[in-house]
Amino acid sequence: MSQSYPTLFSKFKLGSLTLKNRIVMAPMTRSRAIGNLPNDLMVSYYSKRADAGLIITEGVAPSPDGLGYARIPGLFNDAQVKAWKKITDAVHAKRGRIFVQLMHTGRISHPLNLPDEGVVRGVSAIAAATTQMYTDQEGLKPLPVPEEIATSEIPALIDEFVQSAKYAIKAGFDGVELHGANGYLLDQFLNSASNHRADKYGGSPENRNRFVLEVAAAVANTIGKDKTGIRLSPYGAFNDMRPDENTEQQYIQLAAALKEIGIAYIHIVDHASMGAPAVPLSVKDGIRSAFGSTIILSGGYDATRAEAELEEGRGELVAFGRPFISNPDLVKRIALHAELAQPDFGTFYTPGEKGYTDYPILDEQLQAN
């Protein structure tokens, strides 16, 4: 294979940051934040993976209402800032770069997973009928009908993202990724399956794009355009999402508007490898052309496929998810063409170190042999 193109191990300039390679650790919910507070176990988890060119954290709630899952971390108070600072310091000590993913779960939530002040809120009063939510207290539960967010409440909702982004910078993060994918709040505005609003945030694709663009602009104008990215999942089916006849044009228009805002990247999710509908190549190419800046590719990649798509010019960075769970030294293993450890699916979301910080390190394996 020719090396006249950027490889996974080429450096990359992302805004003012120089990434040491083009391997991104994808955001993955791991449910280890007891009391919604980052802890020392998470310091170990993220710092062990600092060889990635960029780490994007698990989804982090920008407000109490956004804490939809059991044991996910937040970033809306000073205690959380202080706890995250230990993680960013540990990653930076290894010359790593780390963005926080801000994820408001919206209707994908259950009251048992929220603090006392939390309310299950959604774009429209429509439950995700085929999705269940795990709670520590009562196991799997059906999702309730959310309280519809009033038009008058939207400015305050945008401000929650802005304030959380400010906290992110205070906590030492290199930037923020807005989670506009996988059926969470931003995606709920985008998708006609969850958005039945009659105000300026519902109806046409342009109206359904509006909230996402207002959040992106507000965050970018506050912390810096080069510190702001977004994750999108056109054609995603997770959490009762459903594409419609306007999806392709809607996302191309969204990408063009994000270009005008000037954010650092779009992170495109294609979960075809996990059984979701594939994102048509025309959509990926349309987003890339309309945005005209950094694209992170994501969805079931191995090193061979990642290198091939870099060579084809499909994107600038490639995100790896599950391989990073079971291979904290994934970057080294890719470089050495070493065998990858396989993840234990049963411990993806359980509390404690098992299946989290106890996966083997290649150097330790070689020494043991």
Side-chain angles (χ1 to χ4, degrees):
M1 184 178 288
S2 167
Q3 296 301 303
S4 62
Y5 68 95
T7 74
L8 282 174
F9 294 94
S10 302
K11 292 182 179 180
F12 183 72
K13 190 80 170 173
L14 181 67
S16 60
L17 300 176
T18 298
L19 308 185
K20 54 193 173 185
N21 57 61
R22 296 175 184 239
I23 298 171
V24 176
M25 178 177 166
M28 293 174 286
T29 295
R30 301 305 313 277
S31 297
R32 260 65 178 195
I34 307 301
N36 308 119
L37 193 67
N39 51 47
D40 288 344
L41 205 60
M42 294 168 63
V43 175
S44 174
Y45 173 74
Y46 282 112
S47 64
K48 285 179 178 178
R49 290 154 177 84
D51 282 344
L54 177 65
I55 292 173
I56 304 173
T57 72
E58 62 209 280
V60 177
S63 70
D65 291 342
L67 291 165
Y69 290 100
R71 291 170 268 105
I72 67 170
L75 189 50
F76 50 82
N77 61 41
D78 288 331
Q80 292 163 346
V81 171
K82 184 177 180 181
W84 277 115
K85 186 68 165 58
K86 293 176 69 174
I87 293 172
T88 61
D89 283 349
V91 170
H92 290 150
K94 295 186 174 181
R95 298 189 307 109
R97 297 296 188 180
I98 183 168
F99 273 40
V100 64
Q101 186 191 67
L102 296 185
M103 176 184 75
H104 192 303
T105 56
R107 70 175 183 168
I108 308 301
S109 179
H110 193 278
L112 291 175
N113 288 338
L114 299 178
D116 291 340
E117 67 268 35
V119 177
V120 179
R121 306 167 75 203
V123 177
S124 298
I126 304 169
T130 67
T131 300
Q132 291 185 307
M133 174 65 65
Y134 178 82
T135 68
D136 283 333
Q137 300 93 325
E138 299 180 15
L140 285 174
K141 304 286 288 184
L143 296 181
V145 176
E147 177 182 301
E148 183 169 316
I149 298 162
T151 307
S152 61
E153 295 174 313
I154 285 182
L157 187 58
I158 294 171
D159 193 54
E160 288 178 355
F161 282 92
V162 171
Q163 292 301 319
S164 190
K166 288 181 180 178
Y167 276 137
I169 300 305
K170 185 177 179 182
F173 284 103
D174 297 297
V176 163
E177 176 177 282
L178 301 171
H179 198 347
N182 298 358
Y184 301 113
L185 184 68
L186 296 183
D187 197 19
Q188 289 163 34
F189 273 95
L190 294 174
N191 199 289
S192 59
S194 51
N195 185 343
H196 291 191
R197 301 178 70 92
D199 62 2
K200 67 180 182 177
Y201 295 97
S204 69
E206 292 81 6
N207 280 356
R208 285 185 276 118
N209 284 349
R210 188 186 308 274
F211 179 75
V212 172
L213 293 171
E214 288 182 352
V215 171
V219 169
N221 290 335
T222 300
I223 67 170
K225 299 173 183 180
D226 63 332
K227 294 180 175 64
T228 306
I230 193 167
R231 197 177 207 217
L232 301 174
S233 57
Y235 290 84
F238 191 57
N239 286 326
D240 287 51
M241 293 291 97
R242 184 178 63 249
D244 60 32
E245 67 276 7
N246 297 311
T247 295
E248 180 165 349
Q249 191 57 39
Q250 178 184 357
Y251 274 85
I252 291 172
Q253 291 173 353
L254 179 62
L258 290 168
K259 176 183 180 179
E260 291 300 311
I261 295 171
I263 65 170
Y265 69 77
I266 293 178
H267 183 177
I268 302 176
V269 182
D270 184 343
H271 280 152
S273 64
M274 297 170 62
V279 180
L281 191 56
S282 61
V283 177
K284 294 180 182 179
D285 288 347
I287 290 173
R288 182 164 180 71
S289 176
F291 184 56
S293 191
T294 301
I295 296 291
I296 302 178
L297 302 170
S298 179
Y301 279 87
D302 59 18
T304 300
R305 181 179 164 219
E307 290 281 9
E309 295 207 8
L310 286 178
E311 184 174 17
E312 292 168 6
R314 298 291 177 197
E316 283 68 44
L317 304 169
V318 182
F320 295 78
R322 291 176 178 178
F324 259 121
I325 289 178
S326 50
N327 299 276
D329 53 354
L330 179 64
V331 174
K332 175 176 278 191
R333 288 180 186 251
I334 291 174
L336 297 177
H337 305 285
E339 182 179 357
L340 300 186
Q342 296 306 304
D344 174 10
F345 294 92
T347 56
F348 275 10
Y349 311 112
T350 54
E353 66 180 22
K354 183 173 174 55
Y356 190 60
T357 56
D358 61 348
Y359 281 106
I361 302 293
L362 185 61
D363 288 346
E364 296 172 355
Q365 287 181 302
L366 293 176
Q367 288 173 8
N369 293 333

